[in-house]
Amino acid sequence: EEEQAKLHQQLSTEQTGAAHEEKRLEANLSAQKDFVGALRANLSAVRHSASKAVKRLRAKLAKKKEEAADTKWNLESEVGTEQKYIKDLEANFSDTKEASEKAREELKEKLSN
């Protein structure tokens, strides 16, 4: 009987220890599940934030591209205007030069007469 009582006591102690270990493991598992849930929520928030940032940057890039295209068009237009102005000046200079040479020739003729 004494042996049986010792075994019964030992069994009871082991069962109590196993029950405590089971509760500890369940609590640990629950904590890990909570942690994983928090990580998932955090990941979702990071993805959402990153998605918004990407959209914002794409919009900014599109605006910069549009501004660059406008600037390029304006510069090309200005260059075209300047080239026309230069051609006009060259033509005017040529006409003035021809008129000056003609006037010089006429003056030479008058002076020689």
Side-chain angles (χ1 to χ4, degrees):
E1 261 183 55
E2 195 177 306
E3 186 68 29
Q4 212 173 16
K6 282 183 183 179
L7 287 174
H8 191 322
Q9 179 63 30
Q10 189 180 2
L11 179 62
S12 177
T13 303
E14 287 182 15
Q15 285 176 338
T16 302
H20 287 302
E21 180 65 11
E22 185 179 358
K23 284 183 181 179
R24 188 188 69 76
L25 289 173
E26 285 175 355
N28 191 5
L29 179 60
S30 178
Q32 287 180 356
K33 284 181 180 179
D34 291 345
F35 182 71
V36 169
L39 284 177
R40 283 186 176 147
N42 193 14
L43 178 60
S44 177
V46 168
R47 281 182 179 157
H48 179 70
S49 182
S51 175
K52 285 174 70 173
V54 166
K55 285 179 186 175
R56 193 170 46 251
L57 289 172
R58 282 184 178 153
K60 215 177 201 181
L61 178 62
K63 185 177 181 185
K64 291 288 183 187
K65 282 183 178 179
E66 186 178 320
E67 288 172 0
D70 288 347
T71 301
K72 180 183 175 192
W73 186 87
N74 288 338
L75 289 173
E76 287 173 348
S77 177
E78 284 180 31
V79 166
T81 301
E82 293 298 321
Q83 286 175 339
K84 184 182 180 311
Y85 178 69
I86 288 169
K87 283 182 184 177
D88 290 347
L89 284 175
E90 287 172 343
N92 197 4
F93 175 77
S94 179
D95 291 347
T96 303
K97 186 178 176 185
E98 286 176 19
S100 174
E101 286 174 1
K102 187 176 178 184
R104 187 179 295 132
E105 290 299 320
E106 289 175 3
L107 186 60
K108 277 185 184 177
E109 277 183 35
K110 284 183 183 178
L111 288 175
S112 66
N113 286 338

